[in-house]
Amino acid sequence: MQRQNETAPSTNIRTLESVALSATSSAAVASHGWVGRHDKKAADAAATEAMRRVLADAPGRGTVVIGEGEKDEAPMLFNGETVGNGQGVEFDIAVDPLEGTSFCAKNLPGSMATISFAESGTMWSPGPGFYMDKIVVPPQAKGLVDLADAPERTLGKVAKALGKQVGELRVVIMDKPRHQDLIKRVLKAGAAVHAPAEGDVGGSLEVLLPTGPADLLLGIGGTPEGVMTAAAVRALGGDMLGRLAPQRNEEAEAIRAAGMDLERIYTCDELVGGGALFAATGVTGGALLSEPRDSDGAILTESLLISSGEVRRVSHTTFGSMPRMTP
């Protein structure tokens, strides 16, 4: 059922659902061969190339508005790259072929292949900005939060909207040195903190999904992950705010040189302004999605598809066997 105040994707965008699922499933299977091998760049490269092959045959013409990899010199689908067979709709793409590269490399739960599609010209491009400060909240707290607020005030607003005490809240904040003070303040206010080592798309899904265990996400993560998250937020009627948060002087200088305002707060509708969909497929398993597995000559994957106000859990079968890496 579509949620109130939600903008539904156009019919054209919905025709890309099968492409999104095929892209993430292929990337998940390709990277799964690198699970536990402590080579996150090789895993990311395998996911990226598998996803690129699927997108090359997508109906229409897609533009990668924001890709993953440039900020850490990893393999990537690069910004401005065009994909598709040129026959059909035009669309924008935000992509992270392997979110949680370290989880994959170390065989820890939580890594997944992710992608978002949106109507052409509606995805925000951060230019040289690789990191952003974010707040993600569920539909009940929509329109109530502000990045300019102190975290204690944000906790109070969200708790009230959810009919909870602050001490009942569970907040997702990535376990990074830059978040030490934020985590201390949230804990001192009485809320519980879930602090994954990486993976703020997964953390945002924990907030947005109706059965998710978290109440809000705070902190600085990647801009690719932010734009992909905005597509899911928009589809599910939640709320999100973002602001560029450069982590190096060179990044800040490049943002200013591009004429962008480091103080500007972007709304969810500014990050993704049209109909959108989001897809993710599990790589190493975990609470959200199971990992790919062999079954009687076929590979089974589990995906989430978020589109038109719905969350669907999709099983995908590919005939063949899982890739095996040999020395």
Side-chain angles (χ1 to χ4, degrees):
M1 181 178 294
Q2 186 171 313
R3 299 175 188 266
Q4 187 177 5
N5 298 326
E6 176 219 332
T7 301
S10 68
T11 302
N12 285 342
I13 287 298
R14 295 208 66 177
T15 64
L16 297 169
E17 290 179 356
S18 61
V19 176
L21 288 169
S22 182
T24 56
S25 294
S26 296
V29 171
S31 59
H32 193 267
W34 291 95
V35 167
R37 295 185 176 274
H38 289 243
D39 191 341
K40 62 182 184 180
K41 287 193 175 182
D44 204 10
T48 299
E49 289 308 312
M51 187 172 281
R52 180 181 277 116
R53 286 194 294 271
V54 172
L55 293 176
D57 294 326
R61 184 175 186 273
T63 300
V64 179
V65 173
I66 183 165
E68 175 63 285
E70 190 173 345
K71 72 175 186 291
D72 53 9
E73 299 180 350
M76 66 176 189
L77 280 151
F78 60 85
N79 294 2
E81 181 173 349
T82 57
V83 299
N85 61 18
Q87 300 177 7
V89 299
E90 293 190 359
F91 52 95
D92 289 347
I93 304 172
V95 60
D96 186 351
L98 182 60
E99 172 173 77
T101 53
S102 293
F103 292 160
C104 178
K106 298 176 183 178
N107 196 12
L108 298 173
S111 67
M112 55 187 178
T114 60
I115 197 168
S116 290
F117 290 84
E119 296 170 8
S120 180
T122 64
M123 272 186 177
W124 172 71
S125 174
F130 301 143
Y131 291 88
M132 65 189 305
D133 198 4
K134 310 166 191 174
I135 296 179
V136 178
V137 295
Q140 301 94 314
K142 184 170 183 173
L144 299 179
V145 294
D146 190 335
L147 266 176
D149 285 342
E152 294 84 359
R153 180 171 172 79
T154 297
L155 294 173
K157 288 180 176 180
V158 173
K160 184 176 181 180
L162 298 180
K164 296 182 176 183
Q165 299 296 317
V166 170
E168 298 176 277
L169 295 180
R170 189 169 187 259
V171 185
V172 179
I173 306 172
M174 285 196 295
D175 186 10
K176 303 289 185 181
R178 60 180 177 262
H179 291 149
Q180 287 182 358
D181 181 64
L182 175 60
I183 291 172
K184 288 178 182 178
R185 291 176 69 173
V186 170
L187 291 172
K188 186 176 181 181
V193 173
H194 171 48
E198 57 184 270
D200 55 340
V201 173
S204 296
L205 291 176
E206 291 186 6
V207 173
L208 294 167
L209 295 176
T211 58
D215 299 299
L216 72 154
L217 176 139
L218 297 172
I220 296 170
T223 49
E225 294 87 345
V227 175
M228 281 187 292
T229 295
V233 171
R234 187 173 174 84
L236 291 177
D239 205 3
M240 176 180 178
L241 297 171
R243 177 175 53 205
L244 289 170
Q247 298 301 291
R248 297 176 182 172
N249 290 335
E250 313 89 85
E251 184 184 353
E253 290 170 3
I255 291 170
R256 294 190 188 98
M260 303 176 76
D261 184 357
L262 286 171
E263 299 303 317
R264 178 175 174 178
I265 296 174
Y266 295 87
T267 66
C268 182
D269 288 347
E270 289 174 316
L271 297 175
V272 177
L277 64 88
F278 169 88
T281 302
V283 175
T284 53
L288 288 175
L289 293 163
S290 60
E291 65 182 316
R293 62 189 187 279
D294 287 314
S295 177
D296 296 327
I299 305 170
L300 305 181
T301 57
E302 184 181 28
S303 304
L304 283 175
L305 179 66
I306 299 175
S307 176
S308 193
E310 297 177 340
V311 179
R312 281 175 278 166
R313 196 169 290 274
V314 182
S315 296
H316 188 272
T317 302
T318 304
F319 292 104
S321 58
M322 216 89 73
R324 308 294 181 190
M325 300 301 107
T326 56

